[in-house]
Amino acid sequence: MIDVVSLKFKGRSKIYYFDPAGTEVKPGQQVVVETSKGLELCECVQGNHTVTDERIVPPLRPVVRIATEDDLRIAELCKVREKEAFGICEKKIADHGLEMKLVDVECAFDGSKILFFFTAENRVDFRALVKDLAGVFRTRIELWQIGVRDEAARLGGIGICGQPFCCSRFLDEFHPVSTKMAKVQALSLNPTKISGCCGRLMCCLRYEQQAYEELVKQVPKVGTFVETPEGYGSVAAVNLIRQQLKVRLDGSDDAPSGFAVADVAVVPGGRPKNGEMPPHVLQPQKKPKAPEAAEAKDDDWTAPPIFAEDTAVEAAPPRRTPAPDGAEPSAPRRHRSRGGKARSARPPRQEQEPLTGKPEKMAPPAGKPRKKNNSRRRSNRPKETKE
């Protein structure tokens, strides 16, 4: 764990960690820090606290001091100089006829340079403009081209929700947003309703996207053939947040009825083409109960079982039809195979004497003698010749 303070620079919503270097900083205080561009003035968002080593991006630069009255006076002079530089730069842009829009001007705290931020649809050749500005201000000039989202973050404003822009308050980075998110959330695809003041899709479309994706998996789509407690029908509308469905029942001219998602079952395979409705899904047919055994009555007496220990039971002779008087006994029944042909009863197996000595060679089977294959495997290897 490392002790840090969270600071925020002017025109940037991203929060950076700095080493307090033994200084106790409170939220809202102005502090002077050391950066790669020199000394800068920033505001404290969160005082001294600890974070894990994984959240630190090295190097961790220190806090120089808490802003004094001289530092605050220098900051006010920089603001006055920024307003003057903004007006001068706009005149120079018009004189050079450049297609660019000046957004913001930022003067370094130590007065070493002035940064101009602008937007443009294409790349702009501003080399001549830089020379003119450097001759006027006698310091280093930097021009940065930014996007429309960065413009909204720097200027700030009020969104259609009535709150300040998210990009100017707490968004650290701009995440990609697509119209697919508006479709999943069942929003109107009218560009004026899903776009922010910057002209791009609203960043807040991404906040609840993951929750909507989980809800969509649990709710049937519009047009799905379902079964409800009142009968079969098709889904006409879906309310993901309330988990409600409006189903247009078959054979009914009334308005679609509302049902909870838990009370509706999707019919597998969809609407049958032959007109026969599938078996019920919500209310399956109950299996008939097995008939209970009737109670024993006094008249229904059964004899107790006989065990082998009490009486000796002789093996019953095989069932054979008795031959009439003066006739020979019937021959054993012949079995039929699956093919329908009759086969005779198998004779009893005879005991064979054990083999002694060497076994005799079996005679070859009758028929044509097997031809000997005298052909040898041919090879592509050339024959060796003796010289």
Side-chain angles (χ1 to χ4, degrees):
M1 304 295 286
I2 302 176
D3 188 18
V4 297
V5 290
S6 301
L7 304 179
K8 180 179 178 182
F9 292 89
K10 175 193 172 184
R12 306 175 201 173
S13 58
K14 190 173 183 179
I15 297 174
Y16 298 88
Y17 293 131
F18 283 85
D19 183 9
T23 306
E24 186 178 354
V25 185
K26 298 180 180 180
Q29 285 184 335
Q30 301 288 332
V31 295
V32 179
V33 296
E34 181 183 353
T35 65
S36 59
K37 301 177 182 179
L39 296 178
E40 293 191 30
L41 186 69
C42 54
E43 181 183 356
C44 178
V45 177
Q46 186 176 0
N48 299 56
H49 63 282
T50 56
V51 295
T52 57
D53 298 346
E54 301 175 353
R55 302 178 61 181
I56 299 299
V57 179
L60 187 64
R61 299 186 180 274
V63 174
V64 178
R65 62 181 180 272
I66 297 176
T68 60
E69 294 182 359
D70 295 338
D71 295 331
L72 298 177
R73 189 179 72 255
I74 293 173
E76 293 295 333
L77 294 175
C78 289
K79 291 182 180 179
V80 175
R81 194 177 185 188
E82 288 171 1
K83 292 180 180 180
E84 295 177 358
F86 191 91
I88 295 172
C89 185
E90 281 188 334
K91 292 180 181 179
K92 294 294 183 181
I93 291 173
D95 295 340
H96 288 275
L98 300 177
E99 295 182 358
M100 54 189 292
K101 176 186 175 183
L102 187 62
V103 176
D104 193 14
V105 180
E106 184 176 334
C107 291
F109 180 74
D110 54 2
S112 59
K113 60 183 175 181
I114 302 177
L115 287 77
F116 296 89
F117 299 92
F118 68 95
T119 58
E121 295 182 0
N122 303 315
R123 297 186 63 179
V124 180
D125 185 7
F126 48 76
R127 289 176 292 182
L129 176 62
V130 172
K131 292 180 181 179
D132 290 352
L133 294 175
V136 173
F137 298 104
R138 299 294 179 176
T139 186
R140 185 180 176 182
I141 302 298
E142 291 185 8
L143 271 75
W144 291 82
Q145 183 174 356
I146 60 176
V148 290
R149 286 190 171 184
D150 297 302
E151 177 186 2
R154 280 192 161 272
L155 299 179
I158 303 298
I160 58 176
C161 59
Q163 297 290 332
F165 293 161
C166 300
C167 54
S168 62
R169 280 192 298 167
F170 57 85
L171 279 185
D172 295 343
E173 297 178 358
F174 292 107
H175 299 283
V177 185
S178 62
T179 55
K180 182 181 178 182
M181 298 180 180
K183 292 181 181 179
V184 173
Q185 300 177 26
L187 297 176
S188 174
L189 298 182
N190 189 353
T192 59
K193 293 185 178 181
I194 60 177
S195 299
C197 297
C198 60
R200 300 291 188 268
L201 294 174
M202 293 186 296
C203 300
C204 56
L205 292 176
R206 192 178 182 86
Y207 297 165
E208 301 175 354
Q209 177 63 18
Q210 185 177 0
Y212 274 95
E213 289 178 355
E214 296 296 332
L215 292 175
V216 167
K217 298 178 183 179
Q218 306 173 6
V219 178
K221 298 180 180 179
V222 176
T224 306
F225 185 62
V226 296
E227 181 187 2
T228 66
E230 298 181 7
Y232 294 96
S234 301
V235 178
V238 177
N239 191 330
L240 293 176
I241 301 299
R242 297 183 178 181
Q243 292 287 292
Q244 295 286 334
L245 299 176
K246 286 189 177 182
V247 181
R248 192 179 301 278
L249 300 175
D250 293 348
S252 177
D253 297 336
D254 299 338
S257 303
F259 298 96
V261 175
D263 299 337
V264 176
V266 178
V267 178
R271 184 182 295 276
K273 297 181 180 179
N274 54 6
E276 297 180 0
M277 291 300 177
H280 290 282
V281 178
L282 289 177
Q283 300 175 357
Q285 297 179 357
K286 297 182 180 180
K287 296 182 179 180
K289 296 182 180 179
E292 299 178 357
E295 297 180 359
K297 298 180 181 180
D298 298 338
D299 298 338
D300 299 336
W301 180 86
T302 55
I306 301 175
F307 297 93
E309 297 178 357
D310 301 337
T311 58
V313 181
E314 297 182 358
R319 291 184 178 182
R320 289 189 180 181
T321 55
D325 297 341
E328 297 181 358
S330 59
R333 183 177 297 177
R334 303 177 68 185
H335 302 279
R336 288 186 174 273
S337 62
R338 293 185 179 180
K341 296 181 181 180
R343 59 179 182 177
S344 59
R346 295 181 180 178
R349 184 177 295 179
Q350 299 178 359
E351 296 183 359
Q352 297 181 358
E353 297 181 357
L355 298 176
T356 58
K358 297 182 179 180
E360 299 180 356
K361 293 184 178 181
M362 298 182 64
K368 296 181 180 181
R370 184 177 181 183
K371 295 182 180 181
K372 295 183 179 181
N373 187 6
N374 297 327
S375 61
R376 296 180 180 177
R377 179 180 291 180
R378 297 180 180 180
S379 63
N380 297 329
R381 188 175 182 181
K383 296 181 179 181
E384 298 180 359
T385 56
K386 296 181 180 180
E387 296 181 357

